[in-house]
Amino acid sequence: MSDTFRDADASQASRKLGDSTIGEDLKITGNVTSKGEIHLDGEVNGDVSCVALVLGESGKLEGNVIAEDVVIRGRLIGSIRALRVTLQAMCHVEGDVYHQSIALEQGAFFEGRSSRTEDPMQIGRVLSNGAAAKPSAEDDPDGQHKDKPTHRFNRTLPESRSA
């Protein structure tokens, strides 16, 4: 076996099984599903479902995201349903976020609604019998229940100034 193939095998073995990278030069039209982590530096026009999503600075996603962990550095137009969401300083997000926990860094752009819920990944899912999963009073994304306020953000935080 040539050294080129051995080196390729070694680099593949060092990469975690289930990690996928969508490079800057790749554009995908359609839904993307993975049982592992996705690093998205390219462009996707469709929904993404995975264990963890990292949307890089050059990444663009026009669609909805369902994942346990989501880190956004790039541009997302669509909703996020995740246990843990981090919107980093350079990101641009337009859409609703359903989460257990969320972190917004200073400088992040977020326009949409943030709703904390115990099981954000199940909201709006279709059950195996074809019926839509019904949200509980706590998971109501339309704010029909007056006892639980929803928050709508439409602001870019200023960059920190050093004195």
Side-chain angles (χ1 to χ4, degrees):
M1 188 185 305
S2 75
D3 289 337
T4 305
F5 290 116
R6 260 186 237 143
D7 293 342
D9 288 343
S11 68
Q12 292 240 339
S14 66
R15 200 176 82 166
K16 239 180 6 178
L17 184 64
D19 284 1
S20 300
T21 300
I22 298 172
E24 289 184 44
D25 61 333
L26 187 59
K27 179 178 180 179
I28 297 174
T29 302
N31 297 338
V32 177
T33 304
S34 174
K35 292 182 181 176
E37 184 172 313
I38 295 176
H39 293 265
L40 174 54
D41 294 316
E43 187 173 339
V44 172
N45 289 317
D47 296 340
V48 174
S49 177
C50 57
V51 173
L53 172 68
V54 176
L55 182 62
E57 289 181 50
S58 62
K60 295 177 184 171
L61 173 57
E62 201 164 314
N64 302 316
V65 176
I66 297 177
E68 290 179 13
D69 291 293
V70 175
V71 176
I72 306 293
R73 296 183 188 120
R75 183 176 182 85
L76 170 70
I77 308 296
S79 70
I80 300 172
R81 299 180 189 285
L83 300 178
R84 293 165 293 280
V85 177
T86 303
L87 303 182
Q88 294 192 336
M90 63 290 293
C91 80
H92 181 102
V93 175
E94 295 179 32
D96 296 341
V97 179
Y98 303 92
H99 57 83
Q100 276 186 358
S101 69
I102 188 170
L104 280 80
E105 291 184 359
Q106 189 167 350
F109 177 91
F110 173 44
E111 184 173 340
R113 185 175 17 190
S114 169
S115 297
R116 188 195 176 293
T117 179
E118 285 303 313
D119 197 357
M121 296 167 57
Q122 295 302 319
I123 297 173
R125 278 234 172 131
V126 175
L127 301 175
S128 59
N129 65 4
K134 294 184 181 177
S136 67
E138 181 178 283
D139 297 339
D140 182 15
D142 294 326
Q144 297 295 327
H145 298 278
K146 304 294 182 209
D147 59 335
K148 181 157 173 112
T150 60
H151 304 283
R152 184 157 179 85
F153 296 96
N154 185 8
R155 181 177 174 189
T156 302
L157 298 175
E159 293 295 323
S160 62
R161 297 179 186 140
S162 52

